[in-house]
Amino acid sequence: MSGSQMRPAAHSLVPADTTEDVRTRGAGVSRQVAVLPVGSFEQHGRFLPLATDTLVACAIAREIAAAHPVHLLPPVTISCSHEHAAWPGTVSISSVTLHAVIRDIAASLRRSGVDALVLVNGHGGNYVLGNVVQESSARGERMALFPAPEDWETARVRAGVETSLLTDMHAGEIETSILLHAHRELIRPGYETSDFVADDRRHLLTLGMSAYTDSGVIGRPSLGSAEKGKGLLASLADSFGAYVSLLTSADDSVADTGDA
């Protein structure tokens, strides 16, 4: 039975499950897996909304929930966007705070019987999420970070995205495509003429985004399309199957899931 057959439609970005929906879904699996979208609230040029990373993370999570029996959570909407502080509207919390929020959510889930958590990260600047997963795994807790770069690369190729992952850094072809598919009404005019490439960003953490782009864009949004967005999400939902298998396995060994 697919995830879409087991859950009511989500309202906007917030899952519409009742407690009984969660109970019923959990009874049909060997181990419950929760999916937490983690976005941000930061500039995305003049044509994409500040909430773009949250919208992208939620779109991926909804696609996952339609294909797999997971416990879909509402998103974390503000995270670590310090490199975008030069632009109005950007809001950040510290990495320490984000780390604590994720740990608290995971602990709460475990108390309710959901002992596996996948963080669906929509913002590349949330470096601390990798540390959260590493530390949790070392404690014997089941946690994963999705999508990995390999998942994005597979999705990029399958969807026909032309821009490399290096070049498609921010408000580029991938993000524009996903929003053209999932939230076309939120895109403002201008993405067709906002391409900007800055592949050498070695001092990004020291200088911030404003040292590399005046517009806030690094990538080629003009190449975006709704068809590519749909293909990206479909590929990521397929890739997620390997994560479900790993987190619900009877033992803690990591199998070769590269082709799963």
Side-chain angles (χ1 to χ4, degrees):
M1 182 179 293
S2 71
S4 60
Q5 293 173 305
M6 293 184 291
R7 65 177 356 101
H11 175 71
S12 185
L13 303 183
V14 181
D17 284 339
T18 67
T19 187
E20 289 305 314
D21 295 326
V22 176
R23 190 194 309 275
T24 300
R25 192 178 307 113
V29 296
S30 59
R31 175 176 278 112
Q32 292 189 70
V33 177
V35 170
L36 177 66
V38 182
S40 70
F41 200 71
E42 64 187 34
Q43 71 85 18
H44 276 78
R46 60 193 176 103
F47 54 89
L48 295 182
L50 293 162
T52 290
D53 289 344
T54 298
L55 295 168
V56 168
C58 286
I60 296 170
R62 286 196 303 269
E63 197 79 9
I64 288 169
H68 305 280
V70 298
H71 178 25
L72 182 60
L73 300 172
V76 175
T77 58
I78 297 177
S79 58
C80 303
S81 300
H82 305 89
E83 70 273 28
H84 299 276
W87 282 270
T90 298
V91 181
S92 291
I93 58 177
S94 72
S95 60
V96 173
T97 299
L98 182 57
H99 191 298
V101 167
I102 300 302
R103 284 197 62 181
D104 283 355
I105 290 172
S108 178
L109 287 166
R110 289 194 299 274
R111 287 193 294 271
S112 66
V114 181
D115 62 352
L117 174 63
V118 181
L119 311 177
V120 175
N121 183 34
H123 172 46
N126 287 334
Y127 310 111
V128 71
L129 296 182
N131 298 118
V132 176
V133 172
Q134 286 179 319
E135 293 168 17
S136 297
S137 299
R139 290 192 298 269
E141 300 161 9
R142 293 179 182 249
M143 189 181 292
L145 182 60
F146 183 83
E150 294 84 354
D151 300 314
W152 276 120
E153 179 62 16
T154 297
R156 185 188 72 80
V157 173
R158 285 181 54 180
V161 170
E162 300 176 44
T163 315
S164 70
L165 294 182
L166 171 65
T167 299
D168 194 65
M169 188 261 186
H170 191 70
E173 185 178 1
I174 286 177
E175 290 184 322
T176 300
S177 293
I178 291 176
L179 261 68
L180 281 170
H181 169 63
H183 295 284
R184 179 64 183 86
E185 74 283 0
L186 299 180
I187 297 183
R188 310 289 180 88
Y191 73 91
E192 305 91 341
T193 57
S194 294
D195 291 5
F196 183 78
V197 175
D199 284 351
D200 187 344
R201 306 182 294 270
R202 69 187 71 189
H203 301 301
L204 177 67
L205 298 181
T206 301
L207 300 175
M209 282 281 289
S210 60
Y212 295 96
T213 171
D214 292 330
S215 67
V217 176
I218 297 181
R220 296 190 177 97
S222 69
L223 300 176
S225 73
E227 182 180 5
K228 291 176 182 177
K230 182 178 181 180
L232 286 162
L233 294 177
S235 177
L236 291 173
D238 288 345
S239 294
F240 191 79
Y243 292 75
V244 173
S245 297
L246 181 64
L247 292 171
T248 59
S249 64
D251 58 62
D252 293 319
S253 62
V254 179
D256 180 6
T257 56
D259 296 324

